[in-house]
């Protein structure tokens, strides 16, 4: 039987990186086994679901290159089928009508809590005749769950987990208003979609017992479950805003590359020897559930940033230039000559950038007209004597061929004639041309800016 996985987000807000990792694991597992990866949007909670949240999920998956293999299934379109299965369970005697009113259920709950018992439904309609139903109550359908024995899940990550059936009450599968509960809808959909492996966060482990009981009642073969540990903050607490970015969009805005984020999320909770930097192809080749650990993962932003720098160095220069231009061109696209400069200097610029935002900041000088803003350290280098020296350098540069080797030779000659070290000339020159004290090699900067622009920037300092 070929593997079929699904990512089943509820569209209640942003695409969290924990969810992104769940999607990634489902994707990689299905690809590794040459199977199919599906997307089901669990949009049955109409009060909380928004179009914007659905769009955020789709955009995030698109950016991460985790698009599903088949058309998206919207759970809300399947309510008739959920009801049909609930009715089938009713007809076969595996479920029953419960006419409890909300007040009655609240009372049952309070009584249990007062006696120190867990608040479970007491099964009062399990064997009662519906003819005794009070008027005006729309009945819910409850599963007639086994009372004896245990429910066992052989989880591919957590191992064998079991619960005594006495601990589980008869859950509602279809509410009085005809809408399915989460547990029921998930089972019906996973069955109908032919899902063979349910890979999701371990906060759903207890749901697996409930869902297993529905599979058993329908005599359907259950999928294999794999509950993966959640992502915590660096301090081990639940990942929250105070730790840093949590949603895929935030990472994108902070200048992370999707392949770096995927690489990081893969390594978080899954390991294969010492392999750190993994392309999508390698990940597909190596990924399997036996490499997923059981302990909660801790988000390490510094490690992610380090991986991002590695991926930036490997990325295509044209693509990086487009990303930089987007960031620099907030008020319209940069001029064509600026794009040419960014592209030409990219091999050197990307060596020092950790994020696309860093990269854009380090390229900003290329887009500035003279006189450009100076960082404090650059300002400090540009003493009156240094400015005078640069005015003397200008005619020498004007007479130089604007290629890196010729420019380098010319700077060395100028320094030698004055009995100075190259750095004494190059540092103030860098400050004058880039507004900063760090940049790619000065000969490359000069060549990319071009004679006219260099002379204009030096003149602006006089
Ligand atoms: N919709 C659930 C969620 O977003 C996931 C359900 C599942 O994977 O079974 O947490």
């Amino acid at each position: 039987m070929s593997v079929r996985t699904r990512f089943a987000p509820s569209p209640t807000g942003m695409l969290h990186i924990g969810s992104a990792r769940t999607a990634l694991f489902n994707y990689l597992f299905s690809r590794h086994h040459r199977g199919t990866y599906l997307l089901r949007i669990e949009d049955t909670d109409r009060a909380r679901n928004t179009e914007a949240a659905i769009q955020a999920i789709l955009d995030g998956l698109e950016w991460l290159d985790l698009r599903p293999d088949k058309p998206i299934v919207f759970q809300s379109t399947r309510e008739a089928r959920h009801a049909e299965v609930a009715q089938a369970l009713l007809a076969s005697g595996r479920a029953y009508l419960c006419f409890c009113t909300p007040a009655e259920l609240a009372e049952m709950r309070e009584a249990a809590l007062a006696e120190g018992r867990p608040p479970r439904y007491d099964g009062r309609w399990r064997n009662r005749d519906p003819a005794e139903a009070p008027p005006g109550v729309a009945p819910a359908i409850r599963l007639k769950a086994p009372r004896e024995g245990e429910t066992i899940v052989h989880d591919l990550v957590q191992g064998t987990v079991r619960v005594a059936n006495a601990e589980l009450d008869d859950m509602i599968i279809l509410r009085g208003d005809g809408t399915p509960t989460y547990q029921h809808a998930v089972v019906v959909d996973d069955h109908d979609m032919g899902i063979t492996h349910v890979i999701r966060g371990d906060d759903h482990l207890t749901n697996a017992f409930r869902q297993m009981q529905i599979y058993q009642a329908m005599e359907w073969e259950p999928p294999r479950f794999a509950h993966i540990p959640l992502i915590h903050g660096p301090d081990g607490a639940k990942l929250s805003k105070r730790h840093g970015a949590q949603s895929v969009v935030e990472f994108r805005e902070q200048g992370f590359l999707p392949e770096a984020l995927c690489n990081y999320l893969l390594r978080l909770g899954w390991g294969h020897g010492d392999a750190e930097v993994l392309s999508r192809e390698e990940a597909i080749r190596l990924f399997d559930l036996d490499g997923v650990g059981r302990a909660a993962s801790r988000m390490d932003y510094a490690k992610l940033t380090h991986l991002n720098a590695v991926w930036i160095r490997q990325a295509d220069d044209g693509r990086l230039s487009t990303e930089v231009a987007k960031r620099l061109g907030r008020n319209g696209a940069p001029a064509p000559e600026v794009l040419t400069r960014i592209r030409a200097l990219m091999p050197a610029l990307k060596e020092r950038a950790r994020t696309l935002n860093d990269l854009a900041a380090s390229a900003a000088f290329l887009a500035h007209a003279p006189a450009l803003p100076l960082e404090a350290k650059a300002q400090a280098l540009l003493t009156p004597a240094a400015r005078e020296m640069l005015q003397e350098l200008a005619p020498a540069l004007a007479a130089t061929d604007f290629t890196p080797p010729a420019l380098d030779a010319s700077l060395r000659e100028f320094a030698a004639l004055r009995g100075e070290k190259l750095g004494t000339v190059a540092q103030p020159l860098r400050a004058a041309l880039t507004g900063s004290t760090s940049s790619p090699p000065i000969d490359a900067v000069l060549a990319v800016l071009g004679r006219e622009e260099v002379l204009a920037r030096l003149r602006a300092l006089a």
Side-chain angles (χ1 to χ4, degrees):
M1 180 177 42
S2 102
V3 163
R4 232 172 213 257
T5 62
R6 67 4 178 230
F7 171 49
S10 304
T12 51
M14 60 191 187
L15 180 60
H16 190 276
I17 50 157
S19 302
R21 189 180 57 161
T22 300
L24 177 67
F25 282 16
N26 276 289
Y27 174 92
L28 293 176
F29 184 75
S30 69
R31 282 289 175 281
H32 178 82
H33 293 281
R34 298 182 203 290
T36 312
Y37 153 78
L38 305 177
L39 174 62
R40 181 172 72 235
I41 302 277
E42 305 213 313
D43 56 345
T44 47
D45 185 348
R46 292 192 192 90
R48 291 173 69 210
N49 299 158
T50 65
E51 272 305 310
I54 295 179
Q55 202 50 50
I57 292 170
L58 301 183
D59 290 347
L61 293 178
E62 164 107 31
W63 184 67
L64 293 167
D65 198 11
L66 296 173
R67 280 172 298 258
D69 297 329
K70 301 229 179 251
I72 303 167
V73 174
F74 289 90
Q75 192 162 61
S76 59
T77 63
R78 297 186 31 85
E79 283 190 355
R81 170 69 178 148
H82 302 143
E84 179 184 289
V85 174
Q87 293 297 341
L89 285 168
L90 194 59
S92 68
R94 306 281 179 107
Y96 60 92
L97 294 175
C98 167
F99 290 88
C100 282
T101 61
E104 221 176 320
L105 290 171
E107 205 176 288
M108 202 184 297
R109 203 184 143 76
E110 270 154 39
L113 289 175
E115 288 167 31
R117 287 184 285 116
R120 295 197 196 106
Y121 176 69
D122 63 8
R124 64 182 61 174
W125 280 94
R126 194 173 159 105
N127 296 313
R128 209 161 144 191
D129 187 347
E132 293 171 28
V137 180
I141 299 183
R142 285 186 186 267
L143 190 75
K144 199 178 257 182
R147 289 265 164 100
E148 320 269 284
E150 20 180 46
T151 296
I152 301 175
V153 172
H154 298 287
D155 192 275
L156 293 169
V157 172
Q158 308 290 332
T160 297
V161 277
R162 47 183 83 220
V163 67
N165 287 332
E167 306 275 318
L168 303 173
D169 59 4
D170 290 345
M171 73 185 129
I172 294 180
I173 52 176
L174 205 71
R175 299 186 190 90
D177 64 4
T179 59
T181 56
Y182 156 74
Q183 309 285 10
H184 181 64
V186 164
V187 170
V188 174
D189 291 350
D190 282 339
H191 171 78
D192 288 1
M193 289 164 74
I195 301 304
T196 59
H197 293 77
V198 168
I199 305 170
R200 60 188 175 189
D202 66 8
D203 50 337
H204 286 291
L205 183 59
T206 51
N207 292 331
F209 296 121
R210 299 285 198 174
Q211 293 168 8
M212 196 60 115
Q213 292 190 333
I214 301 177
Y215 282 104
Q216 285 162 352
M218 282 304 290
E219 295 177 24
W220 284 341
E221 190 188 338
R224 303 301 310 270
F225 289 100
H227 287 93
I228 59 180
L230 299 183
I231 301 177
H232 287 185
D235 56 2
K238 186 171 187 282
L239 190 63
S240 73
K241 224 179 243 153
R242 77 191 155 85
H243 292 119
Q246 298 176 76
S247 75
V248 169
V249 176
E250 282 174 280
F251 286 100
R252 180 181 183 169
E253 280 169 3
Q254 290 179 5
F256 288 92
L257 289 177
E259 55 269 49
L261 189 57
C262 282
N263 188 162
Y264 180 71
L265 291 176
L266 169 63
R267 288 290 293 106
L268 197 58
W270 173 87
H272 183 86
D274 298 333
E276 281 296 339
V277 182
L278 289 154
S279 67
R280 181 59 64 86
E281 291 67 35
E282 285 166 316
I284 290 172
R285 189 165 60 77
L286 298 174
F287 186 81
D288 219 337
L289 290 169
D290 51 12
V292 178
R294 256 198 258 181
S297 324
R298 291 191 184 201
M299 184 70 198
D300 182 341
Y301 291 94
K303 198 164 168 193
L304 166 62
T305 307
H306 167 76
L307 263 182
N308 201 49
V310 172
W311 279 100
I312 285 180
R313 286 199 290 277
Q314 294 184 7
D316 173 71
D317 291 345
R319 171 184 169 206
L320 293 175
S321 302
T322 308
E323 289 295 337
V324 164
K326 254 196 261 167
R327 284 168 169 77
L328 293 179
R330 295 252 182 253
N331 309 313
E337 70 270 19
V338 172
L339 286 179
T340 312
R341 287 177 196 159
I342 295 172
R343 179 72 179 78
L345 207 55
M346 191 50 75
L349 288 172
K350 73 182 186 181
E351 286 302 318
R352 10 184 119 228
R354 298 178 316 155
T355 66
L356 294 174
N357 294 7
D358 275 1
L359 198 58
S362 72
F365 79 91
L366 296 170
H368 260 290
L372 71 166
L374 301 174
E375 284 172 11
K377 278 196 206 153
Q379 184 79 265
L381 275 178
L382 290 169
T383 58
R387 286 170 192 252
E388 208 170 295
M389 182 264 297
L390 292 176
Q391 296 314 311
E392 286 166 27
L393 173 64
L397 288 177
T400 305
D401 185 19
F402 257 64
T403 62
L407 287 160
D408 181 63
S410 175
L411 287 179
R412 284 178 194 280
E413 190 188 322
F414 180 81
L417 281 175
R418 298 170 64 96
E420 306 276 17
K421 289 202 185 103
L422 178 62
T424 315
V425 176
Q427 280 296 53
L429 180 59
R430 167 175 289 122
L433 297 178
T434 71
S436 158
T437 52
S438 69
S439 79
I442 192 69
D443 49 356
V445 169
L446 285 163
V448 161
L449 285 173
R451 182 181 283 113
E452 216 176 297
E453 181 69 22
V454 166
L455 296 177
R457 288 186 184 201
L458 293 180
R459 261 199 313 274
L461 272 187

